[in-house]
Amino acid sequence: MISILRTITTSLIPTRISVTKFMDSSSSSSNAIIGGSERLLALAQHLRLYKPPPPFAEDVLEQSIEENGGKVVSQLGFPESATTIQNPEKFSPKKAAVLICLFEGDAGDLRVILTKRSSKLSTHSGEVSLPGGKADEGDKDDGDTAKREAKEEIGLDPELVNVVTVLEPFLSKHLLRVVPVIGILHDKKAFKPVLNPAEVESVFDAPLEMFLKDEKRTQEEREWMGEKYLIHFFDYDDIENKKYLIWGLTAGILIRAASIVYKRPPAFIEQNPKFKVPQVVSKGSSMT
């Protein structure tokens, strides 16, 4: 499959551009939003009907969970339904959102935009992640958070993305609640990546369906606190033969997103454990 986004590195582009005022693209007409593609229009209509499982509890306490400066990268992360929350009325982790930005490739396949973190970062340097990060007080919803972070990281204009649904939250190991937001890029030619070199080394795209297949996947079984679980690794080579390894929380989110978009389970066992969340969430808390 041919990627329509060239991999762009910070050596080829200027530094980050300033954040502009955002517009809620959901107010645009459907045909304009998806650029006239009947397939993307049908996908948008399908995803708008998706209802994620209800959360365990409403956020009732303000906490101070931080992970990687508010960015969303973790070797371990699972859907919230795969955990046991011992004290749901007091469970209120810090929130974040990531953008699963989909578009139709030249070969007709659905593709997702991904980033490679800067090699200069002190944690998780060089790893692949989805654009996203911690919610700010000014964000009106998870879609706003995801689009704002994508703007800051890779220069993706929020007006180019139509948010169609949000998925069930994932919990990282350190109890950051990560909400995957699915958006459709309605004008792929208008997206001119401008990377923030302090955070992002390159931006690329990969076929979403890859995360349902066994072809480029490996796995590691690990055990933590008596629970066995699988970590999935996906190898991807872009059109310039640059190699990327997509794994951990990012891979888990994309497996779930692909299952919902394509309406079928992956061709492998996900094996999510039943971890227990501590009774009170505080700085330094993690799943046990």
Side-chain angles (χ1 to χ4, degrees):
M1 297 182 182
I2 300 176
S3 167
I4 62 90
L5 277 180
R6 280 187 59 194
T7 300
I8 298 180
T9 62
T10 51
S11 61
L12 301 177
I13 59 173
T15 56
R16 62 187 289 181
I17 57 180
S18 61
V19 180
T20 59
K21 184 178 180 181
F22 306 130
M23 181 187 82
D24 182 4
S25 59
S26 62
S27 62
S28 304
S29 66
S30 295
N31 288 334
I33 285 170
I34 53 101
S37 167
E38 293 183 3
R39 180 184 183 185
L40 290 183
L41 177 58
L43 174 63
Q45 292 172 338
H46 157 60
L47 290 175
R48 287 192 185 102
L49 297 175
Y50 172 75
K51 301 295 182 184
F56 278 93
E58 295 295 328
D59 290 349
V60 294
L61 295 177
E62 180 64 25
Q63 301 293 348
S64 58
I65 299 298
E66 298 286 343
E67 182 169 299
N68 304 303
K71 297 304 174 182
V72 185
V73 181
S74 178
Q75 298 176 1
L76 180 62
F78 301 101
E80 200 165 276
S81 60
T83 64
T84 300
I85 298 178
Q86 301 179 42
N87 200 350
E89 67 275 7
K90 293 185 178 180
F91 180 64
S92 180
K94 206 70 176 178
K95 290 183 65 177
V98 293
L99 181 63
I100 303 170
C101 188
L102 303 178
F103 64 91
E104 195 169 24
D106 291 343
D109 57 330
L110 284 174
R111 306 186 70 85
V112 59
I113 295 174
L114 293 161
T115 69
K116 182 178 180 181
R117 285 166 59 83
S118 171
S119 59
K120 298 178 181 179
L121 291 170
S122 60
T123 58
H124 300 283
S125 60
E127 292 189 6
V128 171
S129 64
L130 290 156
K134 188 177 64 175
D136 283 352
E137 289 184 4
D139 297 338
K140 62 182 181 181
D141 53 29
D142 296 316
D144 218 29
T145 298
K147 291 195 292 181
R148 174 184 53 76
E149 286 286 340
K151 176 72 172 180
E152 294 177 2
E153 292 179 12
I154 60 176
L156 178 57
D157 187 343
E159 296 186 13
L160 296 177
V161 180
N162 178 44
V163 171
V164 290
T165 196
V166 297
L167 306 185
E168 174 188 3
F170 277 61
L171 291 176
S172 74
K173 175 181 178 180
H174 297 290
L175 300 180
L176 186 69
R177 176 183 270 163
V178 182
V179 178
V181 175
I182 297 184
I184 292 178
L185 180 65
H186 62 82
D187 187 355
K188 60 192 178 186
K189 292 182 180 179
F191 174 36
K192 309 296 183 183
V194 179
L195 309 189
N196 175 358
E199 299 179 11
V200 179
E201 184 173 298
S202 63
V203 58
F204 67 101
D205 56 274
L208 182 65
E209 195 173 12
M210 177 180 75
F211 299 98
L212 295 179
K213 299 179 178 180
D214 241 346
E215 298 171 4
K216 299 181 179 181
R217 186 191 70 92
T218 56
Q219 66 185 40
E220 287 184 11
E221 184 176 71
R222 299 184 184 180
E223 185 172 337
W224 188 33
M225 303 299 291
E227 288 281 353
K228 291 183 178 180
Y229 63 94
L230 292 179
I231 293 183
H232 303 278
F233 300 79
F234 293 88
D235 290 298
Y236 178 65
D237 298 344
D238 70 4
I239 58 174
E240 298 175 350
N241 291 321
K242 292 184 178 179
K243 299 182 181 298
Y244 297 95
L245 182 63
I246 306 161
W247 66 295
L249 178 61
T250 299
I253 290 174
L254 289 172
I255 291 169
R256 180 57 53 90
S259 299
I260 293 167
V261 168
Y262 288 98
K263 304 179 186 179
R264 70 175 193 267
F268 49 85
I269 298 174
E270 291 183 76
Q271 192 171 323
N272 293 328
K274 292 289 184 182
F275 289 127
K276 292 182 179 180
V277 173
Q279 292 187 11
V280 178
V281 178
S282 60
K283 188 175 180 62
S285 296
S286 64
M287 283 188 281
T288 59

